[in-house]
Amino acid sequence: MVLRDGAPTNACLLMMWQVEGADIITPEGLDAVPESSFVRQGLIEENAFQCGYCAPGFTVTLTALLRETDDPSETEIREALGGNLCRCTGYHSIIRGAVRAVALKAADAGQGA
Ligand code: FES
């Protein structure tokens, strides 16, 4: 999962000609996106540990959601994560981590106001 022009995109399904000129942010580049820190902290606090495929995918997708939505509902979070499929059972902790990330972002915004 990468951000392609800000949108979460399955990189493994893209051909190189489809990304020519696009702004690409990989999971390794998420430090440049401030919202990613809230996502990572929220997932850590809720013990939403995933494998090496899922953790970056969920993190990229949730970062994109927090970039475009200030206060997403749990329903919006679930809809955003609809394309992130895990074969394990971590969905509940992931949702809790996402909700926590939203709260962390809101708290940070409140401090800046
Ligand atoms: Fe990756 Fe479930 S944690 S498949």
Side-chain angles (χ1 to χ4, degrees):
M1 187 70 71
V2 299
L3 293 178
R4 178 175 62 153
D5 293 329
T9 304
N10 290 325
C12 58
L13 299 178
L14 291 173
M15 304 300 282
M16 287 304 293
W17 58 264
Q18 293 176 295
V19 297
E20 187 173 335
D23 178 39
I24 302 293
I25 300 176
T26 66
E28 292 80 4
L30 283 180
D31 283 347
V33 183
E35 290 81 359
S36 71
S37 65
F38 305 126
V39 171
R40 284 186 284 226
Q41 186 62 35
L43 294 175
I44 289 169
E45 289 183 16
E46 293 298 333
N47 295 317
F49 299 113
Q50 300 299 122
C51 76
Y53 295 103
C54 294
F58 281 106
T59 303
V60 168
T61 301
L62 289 171
T63 296
L65 177 65
L66 286 189
R67 279 180 95 178
E68 62 189 40
T69 309
D70 279 334
D71 187 21
S73 66
E74 186 172 323
T75 299
E76 290 172 315
I77 291 169
R78 290 181 183 277
E79 287 174 2
L81 293 176
N84 291 74
L85 303 178
C86 168
R87 293 184 174 274
C88 309
T89 59
Y91 286 112
H92 295 297
S93 59
I94 291 167
I95 298 301
R96 286 195 312 268
V99 169
R100 178 68 183 137
V102 171
L104 290 167
K105 180 183 175 186
D108 185 71
Q111 288 178 355

